[in-house]
Amino acid sequence: MRHRVAGNKLSRPTAHRMSMLRTAVTDFLRNESIRTTEAKAREVRRMAEKVITRGKGGTLHDRRMAAALLRDRKVLRKLFDDIAPRYESRPGGYTRMVKLGPRKGDAAPMAILELMP
């Protein structure tokens, strides 16, 4: 039984998966949009929603927890100064996933993950 088991392994070892997702979340927050497979987009969305909620807190602890996830200090600054205040009155649901259809090479389902306006 898989009760309360969240997340997708994405056919990768833990260290590779976490590194890939941290980089994807950092790139997502830097560009405010990312084009990837649907499975990766779902995992990136989970992590990005949590880090944006941390950004809304604004405490030193929240900043350090977000810094542990994000790869770039400029993106961390952008998160706390630009992105989090934009969603101050929103209780969640900061991202939107638009499905694109299959990728040409291997028919993997693709999606665009973007921040809500």
Side-chain angles (χ1 to χ4, degrees):
M1 289 182 276
R2 58 177 312 274
H3 298 308
R4 296 181 60 95
V5 177
N8 188 345
K9 292 186 179 181
L10 300 173
S11 301
R12 288 171 170 80
T14 304
H16 180 195
R17 181 176 64 250
M18 293 309 297
S19 178
M20 177 188 68
L21 291 175
R22 286 178 62 195
T23 303
V25 170
T26 303
D27 290 341
F28 171 62
L29 293 175
R30 179 183 299 122
N31 301 319
E32 300 189 11
S33 177
I34 191 170
R35 182 178 184 269
T36 184
T37 62
E38 285 182 23
K40 285 181 196 170
R42 281 191 292 271
E43 294 302 311
V44 169
R45 178 173 56 186
R46 289 179 67 234
M47 294 175 79
E49 296 266 346
K50 289 178 183 179
V51 79
I52 291 171
T53 302
R54 285 275 183 196
K56 286 170 55 176
T59 64
L60 178 61
H61 179 68
D62 289 329
R63 188 173 289 268
R64 286 178 175 167
M65 293 298 286
L69 178 80
L70 299 176
R71 300 262 187 203
D72 189 359
R73 299 296 177 199
K74 290 179 184 176
V75 176
L76 182 67
R77 196 172 307 118
K78 179 179 180 178
L79 171 67
F80 280 86
D81 296 342
D82 300 337
I83 296 174
R86 195 184 318 167
Y87 299 112
E88 195 61 42
S89 62
R90 191 179 190 111
Y94 316 114
T95 60
R96 166 174 52 205
M97 188 169 75
V98 180
K99 296 182 180 183
L100 297 175
R103 182 163 52 194
K104 190 165 190 147
D106 59 357
M110 298 298 286
I112 294 178
L113 187 66
E114 56 192 10
L115 287 175
M116 293 293 287

